[in-house]
Structure formats: structure tokens, C-alpha cells
Amino acid sequence: MAISAANTGGAWDNTKKYIEAGHYKDSNGVVQKKKSEIHKAAVIGDTVGDPLKDTSGPSLNILVKLMAILSLVFAEFFCITGWLVIPFHDYD
């Protein structure tokens, strides 16, 4: 859920920046910039997206740190028990 929220928030933020840079053309080929209706909609989307990015980033950081620490703690156990050894089979 956090990965989805981070991607969604980033996409809405990048959409607003894309429109503000003048790269967006509507279906008629007209360039839409700031103060247009599409820009107003993108600002609303960015308002929703900012909290998504701000809340999911710290939770993903904790998850990555937890996975790294657990892998270091249990690495020796996995080596001793042989869980990391993949048996090779001859399938001829």
C-alpha cells in the first residue's frame, strides 16, 4: 500500500510540474499552462498527492531498514541450517 501511495503522490506532483513547464497539449493541440482549468485540476491532485508521499516515505524507510537488519541477523542461521543452499539436480 505504501509503494502505491508513494507512486501515486509522485505522479500527481510530476503532472503538475509537467503542465507548469508548458509541455501538456490538450486534444486540440493547445498548450495548457498555469491558470488553465487543467492546471487547477493538477493542483488539486497535487494537494492530495503530497500527504501520500509524506506519509508513505517514512513507512517505506522503516520497512527497508527492518528487512536489512533481519537479513543480517539471520544470515548465519540460514548458512548453518543450509536454507541458502539450493540443491542442483541433474534433469537429464
Side-chain angles (χ1 to χ4, degrees):
M1 184 72 176
I3 293 171
S4 176
N7 286 338
T8 302
W12 276 336
D13 184 44
N14 289 340
T15 302
K16 184 188 74 158
K17 290 177 185 176
Y18 186 79
I19 293 169
E20 288 175 351
H23 297 298
Y24 179 76
K25 293 181 183 177
D26 63 8
S27 59
N28 297 327
V30 178
V31 175
Q32 300 290 323
K33 293 186 178 181
K34 281 188 172 183
K35 307 297 181 189
S36 65
E37 289 298 315
I38 195 75
H39 179 258
K40 291 177 186 175
V43 169
I44 293 171
D46 185 43
T47 304
V48 173
D50 280 340
L52 288 174
K53 290 185 303 184
D54 294 344
T55 56
S56 61
S59 66
L60 286 172
N61 188 22
I62 291 169
L63 178 66
V64 169
K65 285 182 181 181
L66 178 66
M67 291 188 317
I69 289 173
L70 285 176
S71 66
L72 290 173
V73 167
F74 287 108
E76 184 178 5
F77 171 75
F78 292 145
C79 290
I80 291 171
T81 60
W83 284 13
L84 293 179
V85 178
I86 302 172
F88 293 99
H89 297 287
D90 190 12
Y91 293 106
D92 290 336

